Amino acid sequence: ITEKISDTQQEYISKIITAATRAGNLTKKLLTFSHRGTKASTTIDCEKIISDTIEILKRTIDKIVDISFDNKASAVSIIGDDSMLQNAFLNISINAAQAMPEGGKLTFTIENIYFDRNYCDSLPFDIQPGEYVEISIRDTGTGMSREGMSRIFEPFFTTKEQGKGTGLGLSMVYAAVIEHSGAINVYSEEGTGTVFNVYLPLSKEAGKDNVYAESL
């Protein structure tokens, strides 16, 4: 005999399923952050990743945000996991869009850059001298305070209202960049906007027409 499920029971079941799904997603994020996930290593075209990311954003974020892309790089090939990197770029971009509730501009720029040994040693990242792709994601949103900017990559730190963020999104971005032997920084001013700069090492087969980096 099949007993009919009441509306109350159905509501409880839905809540359990929702909670389980959220727990599963949170576990995946924690595994990624702790570097226990599986990372693929293939040749990746950074220009294509950004183009694909923009196509996703155009279908998901509000049309009042204008998106543009400027590729200034002569070499865009890196080695890594395209899904992990695309998720990282989406995390940054969605946060940027949420910081522009009245609309604004979201700009992606790719350039080539070179880091020498002295410069690498001066950075708080374990990166090697060589040629890099610089991916900049800039918004004209509300910006962040100095405190927020200094803590932006901390796990579970969020400037969003309670219940609207886990505080793991940008921690995952940081972890993904480190996993790809890269570097990342952020600069923001309240009322002006924010720019994230991601630096990823070019593959050995990439071109040589790059510029020298003086500062991040």
Side-chain angles (χ1 to χ4, degrees):
I1 299 175
T2 303
E3 184 179 348
K4 184 179 179 180
I5 298 176
S6 68
D7 291 342
T8 300
Q9 290 173 322
Q10 184 63 55
E11 183 181 351
Y12 287 150
I13 291 172
S14 297
K15 288 182 177 179
I16 291 170
I17 292 173
T18 299
T21 301
R22 287 177 177 171
N25 290 335
L26 180 59
T27 299
K28 289 179 182 178
K29 291 180 179 181
L30 289 169
L31 287 173
T32 299
F33 180 75
S34 64
H35 295 189
R36 293 175 184 171
T38 301
K39 180 176 78 73
S41 292
T42 57
T43 300
I44 301 170
D45 183 335
C46 280
E47 180 181 13
K48 185 177 187 307
I49 290 182
I50 296 301
S51 295
D52 290 347
T53 299
I54 291 173
E55 287 304 310
I56 293 172
L57 291 170
K58 285 180 177 179
R59 296 195 299 268
T60 54
I61 66 174
D62 201 307
K63 302 297 183 184
I64 60 176
V65 175
D66 180 55
I67 306 174
S68 62
F69 178 25
D70 186 11
N71 181 12
K72 300 178 181 178
S74 60
V76 293
S77 295
I78 66 170
I79 302 298
D81 187 317
D82 56 350
S83 294
M84 185 181 292
L85 289 175
Q86 186 172 78
N87 284 336
F89 298 143
L90 281 171
N91 259 310
I92 295 173
S93 304
I94 291 171
N95 280 345
Q98 292 173 345
M100 297 183 284
E102 305 300 323
K105 294 183 178 181
L106 180 60
T107 306
F108 294 83
T109 306
I110 297 180
E111 298 186 65
N112 290 132
I113 201 163
Y114 181 84
F115 296 155
D116 66 11
R117 167 54 65 187
N118 289 336
Y119 186 67
C120 289
D121 289 345
S122 72
L123 299 177
F125 298 94
D126 184 18
I127 62 174
Q128 299 302 312
E131 296 161 309
Y132 286 74
V133 179
E134 177 188 48
I135 301 109
S136 297
I137 304 175
R138 182 184 300 272
D139 69 63
T140 58
T142 55
M144 291 179 284
S145 65
R146 288 185 177 274
E147 179 189 4
M149 191 166 53
S150 67
R151 301 183 60 194
I152 195 67
F153 298 118
E154 290 181 14
F156 304 109
F157 174 77
T158 179
T159 58
K160 298 178 182 178
E161 296 178 19
Q162 187 173 0
K164 292 188 176 181
T166 63
L168 284 173
L170 291 177
S171 297
M172 289 177 59
V173 170
Y174 187 91
V177 171
I178 298 303
E179 190 79 7
H180 285 79
S181 302
I184 183 172
N185 72 1
V186 59
Y187 179 75
S188 183
E189 291 185 4
E190 291 184 281
T192 300
T194 302
V195 58
F196 284 86
N197 296 310
V198 176
Y199 303 89
L200 301 171
L202 283 172
S203 66
K204 300 300 182 181
E205 294 77 21
K208 304 296 182 182
D209 299 328
N210 302 316
V211 297
Y212 178 75
E214 294 184 355
S215 63
L216 276 178

